[in-house]
Amino acid sequence: MTATTSDILGIRRPDAAGGPAATDRVPAARLIRVEIRKLVDTRAGAWLLVLIAVVTAAAVIVSLFTTDASGLTFEHFVDVTVFPQSVLLPLLGIMAVTTEWTQRTTLVTHTLEPARRRVVAAKFAATAVLWFLAVVLAYAVAAVANILGAALRHGDGSWAYGTVGLRDTALLQLLSLVHGLAFGMLLMNTAAAIVLYFTAPGAVHLLFSTVGSLKGSAAWFDLGASQAPLTDHSIAGIGWLQLLTTTVLWLLLPLAAGMVRLLRREIK
Amino acid sequence: MILVDQLTKRYGRYTAVDSVSFSVRPGTVTGFLGPNGAGKSTTMRMLVGLTPPSSGSCTVLGVPYAHLRNPGRHVGVLLDASAQHPGRTGREVLSLGAMTIGLPRSRVDEMLDRVGLTADEAGRRVGNYSLGMRQRLGIAHALLGDPEVLILDEPANGLDPGGIHWMRGLLRRFADRGGSVLLSSHLLHEVEVIADELVIIGGGRIVAQGAKTEMLAGAGTIVRTPDVGVLAGALATTGLEHTTRSDGSLFVDASAEHIGRAAAAAGAVLTELRPAGGAGLEEMFLQLTAGAREEVPA
């Protein structure tokens, strides 16, 4: 300890030397850097990121050779990246908040930063950085594919792209990431969160698409149905309200419940 | 400096930690002793803010742990050496800690060196570590921020005799430089050599605490006699309880003079009569913790 403090008699107090009050808290930027590193420094985390990159590229390449030449536009290629990414980004969200519980490294994480809110905020920020990179990657791969499409297959090659496309793409990926975070927060267990993530929305979808009397209201409760107009860039009016409703039900409620659980639970 | 005051943790009707109070002063090593399930780990988790107490309070360096800014700079904590991601290397585990606390990368190598993990071992995944290596890594992690206080839960678990000897030296030097050490163990002899103060817990309650030297001095007498029946009768009539040890000698919680007089009056021949010392503490430890365990409601 280099910092020293003295009491009024000028006697150095060992406990006060560079004591708790003399130290700064761990800056948020540092917590976020640590959380990003935790996402990439294990085999599971690194492979997931590689998988996101590879699958994004693969989807675009497949589309490059299977879509009609007239349909080969920048916007088309961007849309092609949405589905594979929205399957994998939630896994990133789940793992970001569950791995530490499953491996019990929360013991270390929360003794180094006792403010649980700050740790969670850092985890969210860390996944947001990777979400941003995933979206950037989607656009970069789509741009390359569009050039190749025009050159190799005499594709349309149109670069026309509106803010609507950007908004819908970024929002869809963000929603799927937050969905993963929410289920991860709620269950705090990697396997359970992944299973529930892939089965629960499907079960609700099945319910609303088979029970006749429910069909009309599907878009208010079925996550996929409410997000469909976002996928084909046709969302408007009541569609936004339906999207908001399913987002509250499927994302924000589990997230809030998970947050309450985190703040109260015992860390063992 | 650690202060624990009337700390209590209840799980439903079960009381895991019951009104526990003790302190750890700078410059001392305090051994926190008790059998498995006595409440040691729960107490330590409450101390570092991971488990909310039902009642009571505890402070580290004068404030509740959760109020410490950058606690890694002040308190070194090792609660479970096995609670590490098996896929990370030892070096990576320390690097994450150093990054969080805000320490230069060189600190990681210093600590690896300090706990005797080679560059080769540090590069291996923790999943391939022996328990002893994990303990060394955990101690390195606790020491990263050059703390004033160490809180270590069963750090000697899995260490070989050489490792235990090394850890004793390390903790002694840490305390001699003014640090406060709280270390738990379920084995008396592990902490008996190193601890200045002992806190013995059983069934969630403190059953004995104090300076080790005083506890050793007042820890009864060992007596050996060929006339066990005669001596046992004499002791009973003077109101002294005894326990028979595995080697056939008796342990009595009384002074040698008391026992000698009782034996002389009854005409029992004594072949050995000495202060119990460490053996007495062990006897007390076993008795107290066994007694406390029976009191715990199922």
Side-chain angles (χ1 to χ4, degrees):
Chain A
M1 289 295 133
T2 47
T4 56
T5 52
S6 305
D7 64 15
I8 44 169
L9 298 171
I11 299 164
R12 192 170 165 266
R13 294 175 302 177
D15 271 359
T23 319
D24 291 327
R25 356 168 68 170
V26 181
R30 212 156 74 201
L31 285 178
I32 295 169
R33 276 208 339 264
V34 170
E35 291 303 332
I36 291 176
R37 183 157 170 169
K38 284 184 195 166
L39 284 173
V40 301
D41 75 351
T42 63
R43 257 188 282 209
W47 276 112
L48 181 58
L49 295 176
V50 169
L51 197 64
I52 290 174
V54 168
V55 170
T56 303
V60 169
I61 291 167
V62 168
S63 174
L64 179 61
F65 294 104
T66 55
T67 309
D68 285 345
S70 61
L72 295 179
T73 64
F74 181 58
E75 185 173 11
H76 164 76
F77 284 119
V78 171
D79 285 347
V80 162
T81 63
V82 168
F83 176 70
Q85 286 205 347
S86 61
V87 173
L88 294 175
L89 279 172
L91 293 182
L92 181 74
I94 289 173
M95 280 176 50
V97 289
T98 58
T99 303
E100 295 222 74
W101 294 103
T102 306
Q103 304 295 345
R104 298 181 59 230
T105 49
T106 41
L107 283 179
V108 171
T109 302
H110 290 279
T111 42
L112 289 182
E113 176 49 75
R116 298 182 187 181
R117 267 173 239 265
R118 299 191 79 214
V119 173
V120 169
K123 285 185 189 297
F124 285 8
T127 55
V129 169
L130 296 180
W131 156 77
F132 178 74
L133 292 179
V135 173
V136 168
L137 174 81
Y139 280 86
V141 174
V144 172
N146 196 33
I147 295 168
L148 289 177
L152 300 178
R153 296 194 54 216
H154 305 291
D156 181 284
S158 164
W159 292 96
Y161 197 77
T163 48
V164 170
L166 176 63
R167 178 198 69 194
D168 293 352
T169 304
L171 193 56
L172 271 171
Q173 309 306 48
L174 184 64
L175 287 175
S176 54
L177 174 70
V178 174
H179 191 189
L181 286 171
F183 275 40
M185 287 281 291
L186 185 67
L187 296 165
M188 297 185 186
N189 176 294
T190 310
I194 289 177
V195 169
L196 198 69
Y197 173 80
F198 282 111
T199 56
V204 171
H205 174 73
L206 203 65
L207 184 71
F208 278 88
S209 55
T210 50
V211 179
S213 56
L214 293 176
K215 274 183 187 166
S217 52
W220 292 98
F221 300 98
D222 179 348
L223 194 65
S226 74
Q227 289 183 354
L230 211 52
T231 315
D232 56 24
H233 312 302
S234 68
I235 191 161
I238 201 159
W240 284 110
L241 214 55
Q242 289 166 334
L243 183 68
L244 181 69
T245 313
T246 57
T247 301
V248 169
L249 276 178
W250 286 95
L251 278 57
L252 300 185
L253 280 182
L255 200 61
M259 188 68 92
V260 169
R261 186 176 173 208
L262 170 74
L263 294 180
R264 290 188 181 176
R265 82 172 279 181
E266 182 178 10
I267 300 173
K268 311 188 154 190
Chain B
M1 185 73 185
I2 299 173
L3 271 176
V4 175
D5 185 27
Q6 302 278 306
L7 203 57
T8 300
K9 179 66 185 178
R10 280 183 288 271
Y11 295 100
R13 292 177 59 198
Y14 174 70
T15 305
V17 175
D18 192 355
S19 249
V20 163
S21 301
F22 63 88
S23 65
V24 181
R25 287 176 291 111
T28 63
V29 176
T30 297
F32 194 27
L33 276 164
N36 295 322
K40 302 188 298 290
S41 297
T42 307
T43 303
M44 288 175 129
R45 280 200 313 273
M46 286 193 275
L47 202 48
V48 297
L50 294 182
T51 292
S54 303
S55 64
S57 68
C58 45
T59 59
V60 180
L61 295 165
V63 294
Y65 187 92
H67 293 187
L68 289 170
R69 292 145 158 246
N70 200 353
R73 285 249 187 224
H74 306 288
V75 187
V77 181
L78 172 58
L79 292 180
D80 186 345
S82 294
Q84 282 300 348
H85 195 296
R88 291 199 179 105
T89 64
R91 177 181 297 279
E92 180 64 15
V93 167
L94 293 188
S95 299
L96 287 172
M99 252 175 102
T100 311
I101 302 171
L103 302 166
R105 201 161 282 242
S106 58
R107 187 72 184 160
V108 171
D109 292 303
E110 274 174 49
M111 286 304 105
L112 284 170
D113 198 41
R114 181 113 175 249
V115 301
L117 286 173
T118 64
D120 175 54
E121 289 169 329
R124 276 155 58 186
R125 292 173 194 277
V126 177
N128 299 324
Y129 277 24
S130 67
L131 182 53
M133 286 166 73
R134 285 175 204 215
Q135 294 286 15
R136 284 174 187 269
L137 182 68
I139 290 168
H141 195 278
L143 292 171
L144 268 175
D146 192 19
E148 299 118 77
V149 177
L150 280 179
I151 297 173
L152 311 172
D153 196 0
E154 300 272 2
N157 241 2
L159 286 178
D160 53 27
I164 291 178
H165 181 78
W166 159 80
M167 193 192 64
R168 279 176 189 151
L170 186 140
L171 296 182
R172 188 71 263 161
R173 285 193 299 279
F174 182 88
D176 288 346
R177 288 204 324 263
S180 319
V181 182
L182 177 67
L183 87 152
S184 76
S185 177
H186 61 282
L187 298 171
L188 175 69
H189 67 85
E190 241 172 40
V191 293
E192 200 187 325
V193 183
I194 163 92
D196 306 297
E197 304 274 331
L198 293 176
V199 176
I200 301 179
I201 185 173
R205 253 173 272 175
I206 289 186
V207 287
Q209 69 186 114
K212 181 185 66 181
T213 47
E214 286 169 25
M215 290 176 80
L216 283 176
T221 306
I222 300 284
V223 55
R224 196 187 291 273
T225 171
D227 315 317
V228 176
V230 179
L231 182 63
L235 289 172
T237 50
T238 25
L240 294 173
E241 285 184 26
H242 73 273
T243 50
T244 307
R245 287 157 48 82
S246 53
D247 63 357
S249 61
L250 305 183
F251 168 79
V252 189
D253 191 8
S255 69
E257 186 184 339
H258 263 93
I259 299 163
R261 285 187 188 283
V269 173
L270 299 187
T271 54
E272 190 178 355
L273 182 65
R274 61 178 172 87
L281 198 59
E282 180 113 49
E283 204 68 43
M284 182 184 74
F285 179 58
L286 289 173
Q287 276 181 35
L288 290 173
T289 53
R293 215 178 10 232
E294 282 157 17
E295 287 169 31
V296 179

